[in-house]
Amino acid sequence: MNNINELAQLVDKAVRTVRITDIHTHLFSECFGSLFLYGIDELLTYHYLVAEAMRQIDMDGPSFYKMSKRDQAQCVWDALFIKNSPVSEPARSIITIFNKLGLDVNNKDLNYYREYFRSVSLKEHIDRVFDTVSLKCVVMTNDPLDKTESAVWEEGYVKDDRFKAALRVDRILNGWEDSLSELKKLGFDVHSDLSGRTIEEIKRFLVEHIDRMEALYCAVSLPPDFTMFDGSIRAKIIDSCILPVCREKNIPFALMIGVKRAVNPELELAGDSLAKADIKELEYLCSNYKNNKFLVTLLSLENQHELVVTARKFSNLMIFGCWWYLNSPSLIDQITRIRIEWLGTSFIPQHSDCRVFEQLISKWEHSKTVISRVLVEKYSDLFAMNYKVTEEQIKRDVENLFGGNFWNFIKAYNL
Ligand code: RAT
Ligand code: ZN
């Protein structure tokens, strides 16, 4: 490689062609039927957009959600795409999706887009999106206590290797009293105070589902004030069920910390917010459970620097993604820089968190652009000192960042 332009082209090519593993999404494969969300009405009623639209619409949350999905979509469209310009990250994403699917981005009639999605063959559409993004696979979020989902695992599940599973344990850890009756109904001998056989039974429940789903990891989202020292049922279940089972199965425990649920309950899914978490909790987990692997993402920007430093201390900690409110270009740029500057390439720069299938296109398109730019800059600094980065080196680094690091972490026994 002879100059910076050539370097930029090589990085761009490597990032555009690498086959991505998207380690956290809320997508489902086709066999899950109504859980597979796609098309313009789902895209426009994505909670990231609803929250934004509600600032422009003269209506309260309950009235908005009372409308049909079609009417909600029209409402968001009018508010954010007709009466205002789609410059926010969630709104721009819709335009990116239209653009990449070859649609007219200037058509103001929603029916034009509806017609497009009505006419596509779902199978071809799925192949096309995987191809456009250059995706190897996505990891779903699988809730074992969700009735619609469980029904498919019990009957009708068809394995599609592009959709991997992750066992989500929010209900057990964040809503123990409610999940208790569900577990009992499923035949598990569990008690509110964790007495008797409860610990063994929760472990049996976890193992059964990890095996059935072939779950790659176990995951939970947690509030900013999450602590292992509050004597809570949650802390006890993590210590005596989740972490032992993860060790036994050699799978990571994914912690997504910093979400403040239902700050405005009227907005439903769109009503969650964030706050800074206490990094001490993570240090405690990584150092006291050395034989466990932790995949971690934190929601607050203020946590990112200390998270990177913590990852330098513990090799059983793999940090991932620019989660939710951090998934916008300026923040991805800043966070990726800090991570590279202190961890080299030993982290997972992004996951998509998609809920609607076509969001894979925009979320990855936007992230790739930023990550590629940061990489070019870092290689250029080396190049300026006559250090020759080879094409093979670039490809290796990019492959590690967009999938390799995840798979190696999953496979590793001794970290
Ligand atoms: O990003 C999102 O869609 C959030 O609503 C959450 O689902 C979050 O990502 C989570 O996994 O809890
Ligand atoms: Zn998520």
Side-chain angles (χ1 to χ4, degrees):
M1 179 221 321
N2 302 310
N3 56 50
I4 300 281
N5 271 350
E6 219 178 291
L7 172 73
Q9 275 167 16
L10 287 177
V11 174
D12 190 63
K13 186 171 146 213
V15 172
R16 298 278 148 208
T17 54
V18 66
R19 304 219 28 242
I20 300 171
T21 297
D22 189 343
I23 82 154
H24 169 57
T25 76
H26 296 264
L27 299 174
F28 288 91
S29 58
E30 216 187 325
C31 72
F32 285 90
S34 64
L35 295 175
F36 179 93
L37 304 182
Y38 77 107
I40 190 63
D41 291 322
E42 295 294 349
L43 285 168
L44 288 173
T45 51
Y46 184 38
H47 66 90
Y48 290 35
L49 279 168
V50 171
E52 198 179 316
M54 292 310 283
R55 298 179 54 74
Q56 310 276 3
I57 302 170
D58 189 13
M59 195 188 285
D60 61 14
S63 313
F64 176 83
Y65 286 113
K66 233 183 270 149
M67 294 189 292
S68 67
K69 178 141 285 175
R70 221 182 137 86
D71 289 347
Q72 289 175 23
Q74 188 66 54
C75 214
V76 172
W77 179 251
D78 292 343
L80 301 180
F81 295 79
I82 306 294
K83 294 189 188 127
N84 290 284
S85 307
V87 288
S88 72
E89 181 59 14
R92 175 176 79 113
S93 298
I94 300 286
I95 305 299
T96 301
I97 294 167
F98 293 164
N99 177 263
K100 293 285 166 191
L101 288 176
L103 298 166
D104 174 4
V105 300
N106 292 303
N107 200 316
K108 301 287 184 260
D109 181 2
L110 262 193
N111 289 322
Y112 161 76
Y113 302 105
R114 289 196 176 113
E115 189 43 43
Y116 168 79
F117 287 105
R118 226 188 335 259
S119 69
V120 293
S121 123
L122 204 49
K123 193 184 162 306
E124 282 165 23
H125 184 58
I126 296 174
D127 293 348
R128 179 177 177 190
V129 170
F130 267 85
D131 213 45
T132 308
V133 183
S134 186
L135 262 183
K136 184 193 204 142
C137 58
V138 304
V139 183
M140 306 181 280
T141 293
N142 304 97
D143 176 356
L145 294 177
D146 181 274
K147 296 215 172 55
T148 317
E149 195 188 323
S150 301
V152 179
W153 285 108
E154 264 147 40
E155 208 188 317
Y157 174 67
V158 183
K159 190 166 178 177
D160 178 338
D161 244 342
R162 295 171 298 184
F163 293 81
K164 312 282 189 200
L167 182 70
R168 184 81 175 229
V169 290
D170 281 44
R171 293 214 208 202
I172 292 182
L173 292 182
N174 297 329
W176 172 239
E177 291 303 328
D178 292 335
S179 54
L180 198 63
S181 56
E182 297 299 318
L183 287 170
K184 280 187 184 151
K185 266 189 238 152
L186 292 170
F188 292 90
D189 180 14
V190 287
H191 305 273
S192 172
D193 59 357
L194 303 184
S195 60
R197 294 186 33 77
T198 308
I199 298 294
E200 285 317 305
E201 286 290 90
I202 297 176
K203 283 161 87 176
R204 180 166 74 86
F205 172 78
L206 296 171
V207 169
E208 260 179 28
H209 284 89
I210 289 167
D211 288 347
R212 172 157 87 174
M213 296 170 176
E214 297 182 70
L216 293 177
Y217 61 83
C218 190
V220 68
S221 72
L222 294 163
D225 58 2
F226 158 69
T227 171
M228 287 296 285
F229 301 104
D230 56 1
S232 62
I233 292 280
R234 173 164 62 204
K236 285 183 193 145
I237 297 178
I238 290 177
D239 172 70
S240 51
C241 305
I242 308 275
L243 292 172
V245 166
C246 285
R247 281 198 298 273
E248 181 192 323
K249 291 283 169 192
N250 190 34
I251 60 173
F253 183 30
L255 299 151
M256 308 173 69
I257 316 174
V259 53
K260 269 166 59 183
R261 297 284 180 200
V263 163
N264 182 352
E266 269 200 1
L267 292 184
E268 301 186 7
L269 255 193
D272 299 341
S273 191
L274 84 169
K276 189 174 186 280
D278 190 343
I279 202 75
K280 276 207 305 294
E281 298 303 321
L282 206 53
E283 292 167 351
Y284 172 80
L285 285 168
C286 293
S287 58
N288 284 276
Y289 300 88
K290 286 211 165 54
N291 296 322
N292 276 99
K293 300 186 274 191
F294 298 96
L295 271 166
V296 175
T297 197
L298 301 181
L299 194 48
S300 149
L301 179 60
E302 289 69 27
N303 273 133
Q304 300 308 315
H305 184 232
E306 53 195 6
L307 177 60
V308 165
V309 175
T310 309
R312 288 171 63 86
K313 309 299 143 198
F314 301 103
S315 56
N316 59 342
L317 169 60
M318 176 60 79
I319 64 178
F320 75 96
C322 298
W323 180 26
W324 200 344
Y325 301 114
L326 295 173
N327 192 352
S328 69
S330 64
L331 300 177
I332 302 170
D333 184 89
Q334 186 184 346
I335 294 167
T336 308
R337 270 168 213 282
I338 307 178
R339 288 174 174 175
I340 292 198
E341 285 163 14
W342 288 103
L343 296 170
T345 56
S346 65
F347 64 97
I348 300 166
Q350 192 55 305
H351 69 272
S352 75
D353 235 311
C354 292
R355 283 173 185 265
V356 185
F357 189 62
E358 297 80 22
Q359 290 167 343
L360 286 167
I361 299 174
S362 51
K363 299 226 190 198
W364 281 110
E365 174 61 28
H366 296 181
S367 290
K368 280 187 203 177
T369 304
V370 179
I371 295 166
S372 178
R373 192 170 61 218
V374 176
L375 280 174
V376 170
E377 193 191 291
K378 296 300 169 198
Y379 290 133
S380 301
D381 291 344
L382 296 173
F383 188 76
M385 289 174 299
N386 255 339
Y387 180 93
K388 299 273 185 290
V389 192
T390 64
E391 183 168 5
E392 283 63 43
Q393 237 176 310
I394 294 172
K395 272 194 179 153
R396 178 204 56 201
D397 294 350
V398 168
E399 269 161 25
N400 283 338
L401 288 168
F402 287 87
N405 289 339
F406 172 70
W407 290 108
N408 288 334
F409 191 67
I410 292 282
K411 279 185 231 136
Y413 275 97
N414 300 303
L415 285 162

